[in-house]
Amino acid sequence: MICPRCSASLKRRERTGRRCPRCTSRFALDPGLDGPGMHDLRVRRRADRATDGGRLKVTLTQLWYACVNHHSAWEAVGRRGTPPMIRAFVAIPVVTALLVVTGLTAWPLALVPSGAALGVLVAAVALRHREGRPAGSRITPPRLSFTGLMRNTWTPVYGRLPAGVVDDPPPAAAPPAPEPLRQPRAVLLCTDAPVAHFLRVNGVPARLRAVLVEVRPSVGASRRGARTKDALARLAPFRPAVPLVLVRDQDAEGALLAAVLRAARPGQIVVDVCPPRTGPGGRDAVTVLTGVRDFSVEELRALGGLSADEAARLAAGFVRPVAAVPPPVLMSVVEQAVARAVALAPAGARDAGGFLSWPPRPDQPHGPARGKGGVSS
């Protein structure tokens, strides 16, 4: 390992107490203790890449995805073939009986049972068996391990998180109210708390003249459709004339959310931003298994317009998190999505009465919905 202070090359036996024996300075991470790739210089390089050289601020969750060493996800596999114990239980008595018959049979008829015994042995050995395994996913380092190290080990050593990195919002906290904005050009509806915080700390709503609405269902809400119900409630103050950009995970409920919003708010432009199948360099996008199976394959295919393969994966609980998209890429995609949503909005929606001022007056009627049907990206 290279000392992040003096650049000395340190062997494992020299890195006692997370302190360099050459310059006596402390360092935060030790790959021998914290896992492969977990050392200060690599985390700094990944943080610099995630922040686009300091241009952006990113959340701790986004830094974790940027520092992932390995990720994999696999579907359930059923057991195939016959287990070895069952093969032995069947083959041994059969072979024994055939050998006894061979000993009692005169030559050359004895070749028949002996050949049969040999065939049974060969078949018992040649038959293949594969154990089944349930669906699952694996990411290294684990999220709790990484965030714990950054908060409890990195911060005491360096006094703060890496440059440009901000901590995630508390998971139990209610989402902040949208910033007041008169005549917004668009509404940013985000279903991921770290990504919503990323957009907020980078000043995206003000710069794009968009209202950021974060969907975070209350604790104790019924799981199926909870985010959809919360999204509809939070969008109620806005007229359908305001174009909507949906920033979400690629999961079962998210795949249906855009369709539900278009059906519930006729005439609203909806541009859907979700993680693709492949990430930078053509590699598979980070995928995790949540085990949540609230929607069937038939629902996802009929309402979400998904292929049979994609619908089956999402119905099984696989999720591609939007927070795993590299922050510079995510920022560019969101900016392009807002520009596209505004361009797709009908001309009549841009007049003085097309947008709902914030906050709405109780006596102000919403009026008829205007605009085209929604589109997705």
Side-chain angles (χ1 to χ4, degrees):
M1 182 189 119
I2 304 298
C3 174
R5 307 278 192 176
C6 66
S7 301
S9 180
L10 306 177
K11 297 181 179 179
R12 183 167 183 174
R13 64 174 180 270
E14 298 177 312
R15 307 192 302 262
T16 57
R18 300 181 188 265
R19 188 177 294 274
C20 175
R22 314 290 173 81
C23 64
T24 70
S25 299
R26 291 185 61 199
F27 50 85
L29 306 177
D30 186 336
L33 301 174
D34 305 320
M38 293 297 292
H39 56 82
D40 299 21
L41 294 179
R42 178 176 180 269
V43 171
R44 285 177 181 169
R45 289 194 298 267
R46 295 300 177 93
D48 184 70
R49 185 186 305 173
T51 61
D52 198 15
R55 184 177 67 89
L56 301 174
K57 295 180 180 179
V58 301
T59 63
L60 190 54
T61 293
Q62 291 175 303
L63 178 63
W64 168 58
Y65 281 117
C67 293
V68 165
N69 295 318
H70 173 76
H71 64 87
S72 60
W74 57 91
E75 299 180 4
V77 177
R79 188 176 67 181
R80 294 184 180 178
T82 306
M85 290 299 296
I86 296 179
R87 279 182 278 160
F89 181 78
V90 174
I92 290 176
V94 173
V95 171
T96 302
L98 290 172
L99 291 178
V100 171
V101 173
T102 300
L104 298 177
T105 306
W107 185 265
L109 294 178
L111 292 176
V112 176
S114 62
L118 180 62
V120 171
L121 284 176
V122 171
V125 173
L127 287 176
R128 296 186 178 274
H129 173 257
R130 185 179 69 181
E131 290 288 348
R133 65 173 181 176
S137 62
R138 181 181 298 111
I139 297 180
T140 55
R143 179 177 182 174
L144 292 180
S145 172
F146 179 84
T147 55
L149 284 170
M150 298 306 296
R151 289 170 179 150
N152 304 324
T153 304
W154 184 285
T155 301
V157 171
Y158 295 106
R160 62 172 189 175
L161 293 171
V165 179
V166 297
D167 206 347
D168 296 322
E179 291 290 333
L181 183 64
R182 184 175 181 82
Q183 295 186 347
R185 297 169 65 237
V187 174
L188 277 170
L189 182 67
C190 184
T191 64
D192 184 84
V195 170
H197 195 52
F198 161 73
L199 297 174
R200 194 177 295 112
V201 297
N202 285 286
V204 171
R207 178 161 52 84
L208 300 181
R209 285 183 55 207
V211 175
L212 177 60
V213 178
E214 182 181 346
V215 176
R216 200 185 304 178
S218 59
V219 178
S222 60
R223 190 167 58 186
R224 179 182 167 93
R227 274 183 297 165
T228 301
K229 296 175 184 176
D230 189 53
L232 291 172
R234 295 182 184 277
L235 289 175
F238 299 93
R239 291 176 178 169
V242 183
L244 174 67
V245 175
L246 175 59
V247 183
R248 61 172 179 89
D249 295 334
Q250 178 63 294
D251 60 355
E253 185 174 1
L256 300 177
L257 183 55
V260 172
L261 292 175
R262 290 171 184 139
R265 300 171 63 83
Q268 182 156 43
I269 298 296
V270 179
V271 176
D272 194 5
V273 176
C274 63
R277 280 178 173 267
T278 56
R283 297 184 297 270
D284 290 341
V286 175
T287 304
V288 297
L289 178 66
T290 62
V292 177
R293 300 186 178 187
D294 288 342
F295 300 90
S296 66
V297 175
E298 292 73 19
E299 289 176 311
L300 293 172
R301 295 199 66 185
L303 301 178
L306 302 177
S307 65
D309 177 65
E310 184 71 4
R313 285 181 62 82
L314 297 186
F318 287 98
V319 177
R320 291 195 291 270
V322 68
V325 178
V329 175
L330 180 60
M331 179 66 73
S332 175
V333 169
V334 169
E335 291 173 347
Q336 294 175 21
V338 171
R340 182 182 181 190
V342 173
L344 289 171
R350 301 189 182 100
D351 58 21
F355 291 113
L356 181 64
S357 300
W358 184 270
R361 298 195 307 271
D363 59 341
Q364 184 178 19
H366 280 238
R370 293 179 291 176
K372 302 177 182 178
V375 297
S376 61
S377 62

Short mmCIF file of all heavy atoms in Angstrom, two decimals, residues 1-16 18-27:
data_model
loop_
_atom_site.label_atom_id
_atom_site.label_comp_id
_atom_site.label_asym_id
_atom_site.label_seq_id
_atom_site.Cartn_x
_atom_site.Cartn_y
_atom_site.Cartn_z
N MET A 1 0.84 -1.19 0.00
CA MET A 1 0.00 0.00 0.00
C MET A 1 0.88 1.25 0.00
O MET A 1 1.95 1.27 0.63
CB MET A 1 -0.90 0.00 1.24
CG MET A 1 -1.86 1.18 1.31
SD MET A 1 -2.72 1.27 2.90
CE MET A 1 -2.15 2.87 3.46
N ILE A 2 0.45 2.29 -0.70
CA ILE A 2 1.17 3.56 -0.75
C ILE A 2 0.62 4.49 0.33
O ILE A 2 -0.59 4.69 0.44
CB ILE A 2 1.05 4.22 -2.13
CG1 ILE A 2 1.53 3.26 -3.22
CG2 ILE A 2 1.82 5.53 -2.19
CD1 ILE A 2 2.98 2.87 -3.09
N CYS A 3 1.52 5.06 1.11
CA CYS A 3 1.09 6.00 2.14
C CYS A 3 0.52 7.25 1.47
O CYS A 3 1.17 7.85 0.60
CB CYS A 3 2.27 6.38 3.03
SG CYS A 3 1.88 7.69 4.23
N PRO A 4 -0.68 7.67 1.83
CA PRO A 4 -1.27 8.85 1.19
C PRO A 4 -0.59 10.15 1.58
O PRO A 4 -0.82 11.17 0.94
CB PRO A 4 -2.72 8.82 1.69
CG PRO A 4 -2.67 8.08 2.97
CD PRO A 4 -1.59 7.07 2.83
N ARG A 5 0.25 10.13 2.60
CA ARG A 5 0.94 11.36 3.06
C ARG A 5 2.31 11.52 2.41
O ARG A 5 2.62 12.56 1.83
CB ARG A 5 1.08 11.32 4.58
CG ARG A 5 -0.21 11.07 5.34
CD ARG A 5 -1.01 12.33 5.51
NE ARG A 5 -2.10 12.12 6.47
CZ ARG A 5 -2.93 13.07 6.89
NH1 ARG A 5 -2.79 14.29 6.42
NH2 ARG A 5 -3.89 12.80 7.75
N CYS A 6 3.15 10.44 2.52
CA CYS A 6 4.53 10.56 2.05
C CYS A 6 4.83 9.69 0.84
O CYS A 6 5.98 9.67 0.37
CB CYS A 6 5.50 10.21 3.18
SG CYS A 6 5.43 8.47 3.71
N SER A 7 3.83 8.95 0.34
CA SER A 7 3.96 8.11 -0.85
C SER A 7 4.93 6.95 -0.66
O SER A 7 5.40 6.36 -1.64
CB SER A 7 4.40 8.94 -2.08
OG SER A 7 3.45 9.96 -2.33
N ALA A 8 5.23 6.58 0.57
CA ALA A 8 6.09 5.43 0.83
C ALA A 8 5.31 4.14 0.60
O ALA A 8 4.12 4.06 0.89
CB ALA A 8 6.63 5.48 2.25
N SER A 9 6.01 3.13 0.08
CA SER A 9 5.39 1.82 -0.13
C SER A 9 5.47 1.03 1.16
O SER A 9 6.57 0.76 1.66
CB SER A 9 6.09 1.08 -1.28
OG SER A 9 5.51 -0.17 -1.48
N LEU A 10 4.32 0.65 1.69
CA LEU A 10 4.27 0.01 3.00
C LEU A 10 3.79 -1.43 2.87
O LEU A 10 2.79 -1.71 2.20
CB LEU A 10 3.32 0.77 3.94
CG LEU A 10 3.59 2.27 4.12
CD1 LEU A 10 2.53 2.90 5.00
CD2 LEU A 10 4.98 2.49 4.70
N LYS A 11 4.50 -2.35 3.52
CA LYS A 11 4.05 -3.73 3.60
C LYS A 11 3.01 -3.86 4.70
O LYS A 11 2.88 -3.00 5.57
CB LYS A 11 5.23 -4.66 3.86
CG LYS A 11 6.28 -4.64 2.75
CD LYS A 11 7.41 -5.59 3.07
CE LYS A 11 8.45 -5.59 1.95
NZ LYS A 11 9.58 -6.50 2.24
N ARG A 12 2.30 -4.98 4.66
CA ARG A 12 1.19 -5.14 5.60
C ARG A 12 1.67 -5.13 7.05
O ARG A 12 1.03 -4.54 7.92
CB ARG A 12 0.43 -6.43 5.30
CG ARG A 12 -0.78 -6.64 6.19
CD ARG A 12 -1.67 -7.73 5.69
NE ARG A 12 -2.86 -7.88 6.50
CZ ARG A 12 -3.86 -8.70 6.21
NH1 ARG A 12 -3.80 -9.44 5.11
NH2 ARG A 12 -4.91 -8.78 7.00
N ARG A 13 2.81 -5.77 7.31
CA ARG A 13 3.29 -5.83 8.69
C ARG A 13 3.77 -4.48 9.20
O ARG A 13 3.93 -4.29 10.41
CB ARG A 13 4.42 -6.87 8.79
CG ARG A 13 5.67 -6.52 8.00
CD ARG A 13 6.79 -7.52 8.29
NE ARG A 13 8.00 -7.23 7.55
CZ ARG A 13 8.27 -7.71 6.36
NH1 ARG A 13 7.40 -8.52 5.76
NH2 ARG A 13 9.40 -7.40 5.74
N GLU A 14 3.96 -3.52 8.27
CA GLU A 14 4.40 -2.19 8.69
C GLU A 14 3.23 -1.27 9.00
O GLU A 14 3.42 -0.22 9.62
CB GLU A 14 5.24 -1.54 7.59
CG GLU A 14 6.53 -2.28 7.27
CD GLU A 14 7.29 -1.64 6.12
OE1 GLU A 14 6.66 -1.34 5.09
OE2 GLU A 14 8.51 -1.41 6.28
N ARG A 15 2.01 -1.65 8.59
CA ARG A 15 0.87 -0.74 8.71
C ARG A 15 0.09 -1.01 9.99
O ARG A 15 -1.11 -1.24 9.98
CB ARG A 15 -0.04 -0.90 7.49
CG ARG A 15 0.66 -0.76 6.16
CD ARG A 15 -0.31 -0.62 5.01
NE ARG A 15 -1.24 -1.73 4.87
CZ ARG A 15 -1.09 -2.74 4.03
NH1 ARG A 15 0.01 -2.80 3.27
NH2 ARG A 15 -2.01 -3.68 3.94
N THR A 16 0.76 -0.98 11.09
CA THR A 16 0.10 -1.23 12.37
C THR A 16 -0.56 0.05 12.87
O THR A 16 0.03 1.14 12.80
CB THR A 16 1.11 -1.74 13.41
OG1 THR A 16 2.17 -0.77 13.55
CG2 THR A 16 1.70 -3.08 12.99
N ARG A 18 -2.94 1.72 11.65
CA ARG A 18 -3.28 2.67 10.58
C ARG A 18 -2.38 3.91 10.63
O ARG A 18 -2.83 5.04 10.50
CB ARG A 18 -4.75 3.08 10.66
CG ARG A 18 -5.73 1.92 10.52
CD ARG A 18 -7.16 2.40 10.58
NE ARG A 18 -8.10 1.30 10.64
CZ ARG A 18 -8.73 0.76 9.58
NH1 ARG A 18 -8.52 1.26 8.39
NH2 ARG A 18 -9.57 -0.24 9.72
N ARG A 19 -1.10 3.64 10.79
CA ARG A 19 -0.13 4.74 10.86
C ARG A 19 1.11 4.37 10.05
O ARG A 19 1.59 3.24 10.09
CB ARG A 19 0.26 5.02 12.32
CG ARG A 19 1.11 6.28 12.50
CD ARG A 19 1.38 6.52 13.98
NE ARG A 19 0.16 6.84 14.70
CZ ARG A 19 -0.35 8.06 14.80
NH1 ARG A 19 0.25 9.08 14.20
NH2 ARG A 19 -1.45 8.26 15.49
N CYS A 20 1.61 5.32 9.28
CA CYS A 20 2.79 5.10 8.46
C CYS A 20 4.04 5.15 9.34
O CYS A 20 4.26 6.13 10.07
CB CYS A 20 2.88 6.17 7.37
SG CYS A 20 4.39 6.09 6.38
N PRO A 21 4.92 4.13 9.28
CA PRO A 21 6.13 4.16 10.11
C PRO A 21 7.19 5.14 9.60
O PRO A 21 8.11 5.49 10.34
CB PRO A 21 6.63 2.71 10.03
CG PRO A 21 6.12 2.21 8.73
CD PRO A 21 4.81 2.89 8.52
N ARG A 22 7.06 5.60 8.36
CA ARG A 22 8.06 6.52 7.80
C ARG A 22 7.78 7.96 8.22
O ARG A 22 8.67 8.66 8.71
CB ARG A 22 8.07 6.41 6.27
CG ARG A 22 8.06 4.98 5.75
CD ARG A 22 9.36 4.25 5.99
NE ARG A 22 9.26 2.84 5.63
CZ ARG A 22 9.36 2.36 4.41
NH1 ARG A 22 9.54 3.21 3.39
NH2 ARG A 22 9.29 1.07 4.18
N CYS A 23 6.51 8.42 7.99
CA CYS A 23 6.19 9.81 8.30
C CYS A 23 5.35 9.94 9.58
O CYS A 23 5.02 11.07 9.97
CB CYS A 23 5.46 10.46 7.14
SG CYS A 23 3.84 9.74 6.77
N THR A 24 5.02 8.78 10.17
CA THR A 24 4.24 8.71 11.43
C THR A 24 2.84 9.32 11.28
O THR A 24 2.19 9.61 12.29
CB THR A 24 4.97 9.39 12.60
OG1 THR A 24 5.00 10.81 12.40
CG2 THR A 24 6.38 8.85 12.78
N SER A 25 2.36 9.54 10.07
CA SER A 25 1.03 10.10 9.86
C SER A 25 0.00 8.98 9.82
O SER A 25 0.29 7.85 9.41
CB SER A 25 0.98 10.90 8.56
OG SER A 25 1.90 11.97 8.59
N ARG A 26 -1.20 9.31 10.22
CA ARG A 26 -2.30 8.35 10.19
C ARG A 26 -2.94 8.34 8.80
O ARG A 26 -2.96 9.34 8.10
CB ARG A 26 -3.35 8.70 11.24
CG ARG A 26 -2.92 8.51 12.67
CD ARG A 26 -4.07 8.76 13.61
NE ARG A 26 -5.17 7.82 13.36
CZ ARG A 26 -6.42 8.02 13.76
NH1 ARG A 26 -6.74 9.15 14.39
NH2 ARG A 26 -7.35 7.11 13.52
N PHE A 27 -3.45 7.19 8.44
CA PHE A 27 -4.28 7.07 7.24
C PHE A 27 -5.58 6.39 7.65
O PHE A 27 -5.68 5.78 8.72
CB PHE A 27 -3.55 6.31 6.14
CG PHE A 27 -2.96 4.99 6.56
CD1 PHE A 27 -3.73 3.84 6.59
CD2 PHE A 27 -1.62 4.92 6.95
CE1 PHE A 27 -3.19 2.64 6.99
CE2 PHE A 27 -1.07 3.71 7.34
CZ PHE A 27 -1.85 2.56 7.37
#
